[in-house]
Amino acid sequence: QVQLVESGGGLVQAGGSLRLSCAASGGTFRTYGMGWFRQAPGKEREFVAAISRGGGNTYYADSVKGRFTISRDNGKNMMYLQMNSLKPEDTAVYYCAAAIPGRGLIGTNNYDYWGQGTQVTVSS
C-alpha cells in the first residue's frame, strides 16, 4: 500500500512558476511508474505528466509540454513537477498517483494510488 502526499501548491500570477512535490511512503517507490494529474472545477481529471520507474522516460500532455518538467528521486521517495510559464487555464487541483505495475502511464485507469491533491491557482 502506497501513501502519497502532495505539497507546493498555491496562488501565482500568470507567467510565474511553482514546484509541486509528492512524498511517497509505505511501498517500494522505485517499482512504481508515477504520474501527475489535475482536475479543474466542473471538468474531468486529466493527465498532466508521467515518469517511468527509473526516471528515464517522461511523458507530457500537449497542453503542458515545454512548460512543465516531471522528475523523481528514488533515493528520497519523492516526485516533483516543475511548472513554469503558468497560465490561468492551469488552475486546478493537482494529484500525484502511482501506476498499477505493468500498465501504461497515461490514463487515470492505470493508476492505483492517489494523493489528496494540492490546489494551484493562476491569476491573470
Side-chain angles (χ1 to χ4, degrees), residues 48-116:
V48 175
I51 188 165
S52 60
R53 291 173 295 176
N57 294 302
T58 56
Y59 309 88
Y60 297 93
D62 288 343
S63 59
V64 306
K65 205 170 292 183
R67 300 187 298 122
F68 291 11
T69 303
I70 189 172
S71 62
R72 66 189 295 166
D73 185 336
N74 285 346
K76 295 181 179 180
N77 290 355
M78 295 291 295
M79 180 178 66
Y80 307 97
L81 185 69
Q82 178 66 43
M83 305 186 295
N84 298 329
S85 302
L86 283 161
K87 304 175 181 180
E89 51 263 44
D90 294 317
T91 296
V93 177
Y94 284 70
Y95 299 90
C96 69
I100 300 168
R103 303 282 289 270
L105 294 180
I106 307 300
T108 57
N109 290 340
N110 293 327
Y111 287 80
D112 215 11
Y113 302 104
W114 294 83
Q116 83 290 347

